[in-house]
Each structure stands twice: as C-alpha cells, then as structure tokens.
Amino acid sequence: MSALPKFIEFPTTTIKVPNEYIVKFKPALASNHREAIVDLFKTEDVYHMEPLASMGCVDARGPNELTVITKQLYDGIIVKADLERLVTLRANPGIEYIAENAGNLKTFGGKKTQQLGSDVESKWALSRISNRGRFRVGNATFSYPESAGAGVQIFIVDSGVNPTMEGYPAVAKELPKGRVWEGYSAVKGEQPHDDHTGHGTWMAGIAGGSLSGVARKSELISVKVTGESGGAPTGSVGGIFKGLDWIFRNAKDKTRSIINMSGGADAFDPLDELCSKLDEAGFYVVVASGQGTSEANISTLSPTRCPKVITVGALDKNDTKPPWANVGNIMFWAPGMDVLRLGPYNPPNGSSPAAALVSGMIALYLGENARISKPRLLEQMRKGGDVLENGKGWVVPLVPGVLSAD
C-alpha cells in the first residue's frame, strides 16, 4: 500500500495563511490521477500561469483559489481547502506532501569609471566593490565594464518596483522606461508597480539603477510578493512560489537571469526545493542572508539555508559585520550599511542591499561573457574578490574586467 502524504507544519510561532496549502505530487503519479486532484478545486477560479507574449506586459490576473505550478519546476498546486477537502487530500496516496502556507515572511532588497563626487558617503558601496581593501574617500571611484549588464534580466522578488514614485524624482532617473518592466503580482488587488514601502524600488536602484546602480544596462523586472493591508505588511510563501513560477515561465534566457530575493520564511523544505530547481534550470538565485535584533544562523531560514542559492551577508564601511547581520554558510559579503538612499525606504541598511549589489555584479559578469558557465562565473567572483583579514575566509566580490583574479 502506498504511503499517505506527509503533512508539513510551521512552528506555532509562525503566522499561517488560513486554509491555504502547498501540495506536491509524487513523481510517478499518472496524469489522470493528477487531473483528478486538480478537479477537486475547479469550482474555484483556476489559474494556469502561461508565458506572456513579451516582457513588459502586466499579468493582472492576480492570485486565485487554485494555482497549478509548472511541472518542470515543481509538480504541484497551491490551493485553498476547507476541512472536507483537506481530509480528502490527506487520504490521497498520489500526493507526496501537503504543507501549510506561512504568512509572516522574513525580511532579509570597455571600462567606464565614475567619480562619485561630493555624495561619496552615500555611494561608498560602489567604490568598495570596485577597489581592493576597505573603503577610502580618497579612492572614491566606481569602475565597471562598458557592457554594464546589457542583455541580462534581474527579477526583483520584493514589494514591487515603482519607477514613477511620487515625491521622489530621483527614482525616475535611476529607473527609466525601457529597462524597468512590470512582471507579476502575487498580491491580490495590487499591481507589480505598487510599492507601499519602497523596498523593492530601492533594490532595483541598487542592482541596476542608471546613475547609481551596478548593472546600468540590465533589464529590471518587478515580481511583487509582498503588499500592505491596513498599514501592515502582507505576503506568503505561496506568493513566493507563484512569483518564482512566473519567472520560470517568462525569463528570456534562464542562464542569463538573476533572481534577487530579499525575504523568505522559517526553515521550509518545499521553498528550498523550489530554489534548487531554479538553480538547476540555470537561474542565479541571490538571497539576502537576513538580519534581526540579534544575529541568527541562516540554517533556520529558507531559502537562505539552501546550498544551491547565492547567499549574501552584510558588511559596514570597516569591512566588519554589523551586530544585527545573520551568520552561517554565506557565499559572499558586500556593503549593507548606508547603501544608496533612493525612495522612501529608511534606514538604508540590511543584507538586502548587499544581495542587490551582488545581483548587479553577476549581471556585469554575464554582460561581459554570455557563454560563461555558472560554476566558472562564481569561481571568478571568489578568486577575483577580496578575502577579508578576519580568518574566516569571507569574500567581498569585485566587478569584472577591472582587477585581475590573482
């Protein structure tokens, strides 16, 4: 007799989305049995995510009661189920597991040379990733390849990206039309350009802003997974699943696509599994290591603990870790303090800006060499980076084509 599905629960301290579940089918499940499970929920508005005709179209259909995830990425569904249908699902031997959906996401956002000028203190991060050693005001330049990430897509999985944010004219200059696209919103009633906190817009500016970002010719696509209701943040792991599925279906070239994630959840195997699949498909999944009132180990968080993602930790101007920054098996370290003030989000600190800087740097590498493999690219970033003198082997990656990889 086939085993019944496993039921995955979050800790009691985790806020759950009522009656919503992530369901994974067994690999050998026959198509007709799979469809029979889906049919249980077809009284609701079924949402099969399909590729868009071209990037820049708004997928305004929003989240529905049933989402069928791309089989090649994650053979399963996200559903709302009352007790009766949940009991039916839990008795089905064709299902591998049923997982609760968490609602309280963890917040983790030729060569050219730019003289950073009088506002160098707000752009010190650019100088740090372009010069060896600690930041020095007297060496305040940002050097980057002429290609500047052209032809590379950076998907900002965050609170939305609003390039025309009212009251912040600098945003429109950093995020011009033609390079910034509305992608998808997993938040009911909100569009990809709706950004109530400004966090996603800030991340887009750091990764690829035209004047103060890293990859200044890259494409920036908003994938909105968090919103706001009554002044309180909203979002769920299921929303992240939907956003990542949309990226899988719509990326122009998976091997030249970067997924920048500023959040996640408590340790959750299904989210780690999904990110591993994205990595296998060719995506660069860059995740902020996270922070809190005191440091935690990333082994307690997903997808930061996933060995397939590129986890980024935060440093200050002295190349030291702030007390709030998380620790653990972190691949790269980058500036995370006072990084580019853009829009309303304040203060400009955290591991999110550090991750966005690394996303921009990966785009620069891909812009310089379209055929470079992922292992080779990451090896170049490690070898060409700065190994900090703290005895821990921490690496600060540097932009390509500027400094030799000794």
Side-chain angles (χ1 to χ4, degrees):
M1 178 180 290
S2 298
L4 294 180
K6 178 182 178 182
F7 190 73
I8 300 176
E9 298 179 271
F10 276 99
T12 55
T13 54
T14 301
I15 298 173
K16 287 89 171 179
V17 179
N19 304 321
E20 189 162 299
Y21 305 94
I22 299 167
V23 179
K24 175 74 181 298
F25 300 136
K26 288 183 177 177
L29 183 64
S31 297
N32 60 323
H33 292 164
R34 183 181 288 104
E35 287 302 315
I37 295 172
V38 172
D39 284 343
L40 288 172
F41 301 91
K42 281 193 174 177
T43 55
E44 311 290 356
D45 187 14
V46 182
Y47 181 27
H48 292 270
M49 290 192 240
E50 299 297 339
L52 298 184
S54 62
M55 189 55 65
C57 301
V58 179
D59 192 334
R61 291 170 289 185
N64 298 282
E65 301 303 302
L66 167 64
T67 298
V68 181
I69 303 295
T70 311
K71 185 177 179 181
Q72 298 94 320
L73 178 61
Y74 184 90
D75 192 9
I77 56 178
I78 301 173
V79 296
K80 279 190 175 294
D82 56 22
L83 180 59
E84 180 181 352
R85 286 191 288 185
L86 177 61
V87 169
T88 301
L89 287 174
R90 295 191 69 169
N92 194 312
I95 294 173
E96 184 175 330
Y97 61 72
I98 302 165
E100 295 179 320
N101 185 15
N104 56 336
L105 299 181
K106 305 292 183 179
T107 301
F108 297 14
K111 184 180 73 175
K112 287 189 174 182
T113 298
Q114 177 190 22
Q115 295 293 331
L116 297 180
S118 59
D119 60 344
V120 64
E121 287 297 318
S122 69
K123 297 179 180 177
W124 76 274
L126 293 178
S127 176
R128 179 62 187 90
I129 64 173
S130 183
N131 297 279
R132 290 199 184 277
R134 294 181 183 179
F135 166 69
R136 302 183 304 279
V137 173
N139 192 24
T141 59
F142 174 52
S143 299
Y144 58 98
E146 184 89 36
S147 55
V152 180
Q153 292 185 311
I154 304 177
F155 294 89
I156 307 295
V157 181
D158 214 293
S159 60
V161 177
N162 184 357
T164 58
M165 190 168 283
E166 186 176 352
Y168 298 93
V171 172
K173 295 178 182 178
E174 292 285 357
L175 304 175
K177 292 181 180 179
R179 281 206 309 114
V180 183
W181 304 105
E182 297 197 23
Y184 167 74
S185 174
V187 181
K188 195 168 185 177
E190 296 189 21
Q191 297 295 316
H193 65 260
D194 292 328
D195 185 6
H196 301 291
T197 66
H199 190 277
T201 302
W202 178 39
M203 293 302 101
I206 292 170
S210 293
L211 303 176
S212 306
V214 180
R216 302 179 180 189
K217 294 181 182 177
S218 62
E219 288 186 50
L220 302 165
I221 301 98
S222 174
V223 179
K224 181 179 175 67
V225 297
T226 62
E228 186 177 282
S229 177
T234 62
S236 71
V237 173
I240 295 178
F241 266 66
K242 295 174 185 180
L244 295 178
D245 182 67
W246 184 89
I247 294 171
F248 183 85
R249 292 172 180 262
N250 288 281
K252 291 178 180 177
D253 182 346
K254 294 178 177 61
T255 63
R256 289 170 61 76
S257 296
I258 301 157
I259 299 172
N260 186 88
M261 296 180 65
S262 292
D266 291 319
F268 189 50
D269 289 341
L271 183 55
D272 296 336
E273 180 184 346
L274 189 69
C275 288
S276 293
K277 288 283 189 180
L278 289 164
D279 170 78
E280 292 170 10
F283 290 95
Y284 293 81
V285 184
V286 181
V287 183
S289 63
Q291 65 273 333
T293 53
S294 61
E295 70 179 34
N297 194 292
I298 64 170
S299 63
T300 64
L301 302 170
S302 290
T304 53
R305 66 175 187 163
C306 175
K308 296 293 186 178
V309 305
I310 300 166
T311 309
V312 185
L315 296 174
D316 61 21
K317 293 177 184 177
N318 294 315
D319 278 356
T320 58
K321 186 188 76 64
W324 42 258
N326 286 348
V327 295
N329 188 22
I330 294 171
M331 184 178 295
F332 294 121
W333 295 82
M337 296 281 289
D338 300 314
V339 179
L340 179 62
R341 295 179 183 273
L342 182 70
Y345 196 83
N346 193 56
N349 303 329
S351 59
S352 292
L357 287 168
V358 171
S359 290
M361 279 188 271
I362 292 173
L364 293 183
Y365 277 87
L366 291 171
E368 283 290 273
N369 186 348
R371 295 183 178 86
I372 191 170
S373 69
K374 188 188 302 179
R376 177 60 178 156
L377 185 152
L378 295 176
E379 180 186 25
Q380 287 187 4
M381 289 183 71
R382 291 189 193 97
K383 287 188 174 181
D386 251 349
V387 179
L388 300 185
E389 296 178 359
N390 59 7
K392 298 179 181 179
W394 292 0
V395 177
V396 179
L398 302 171
V399 297
V402 177
L403 299 166
S404 62
D406 297 327

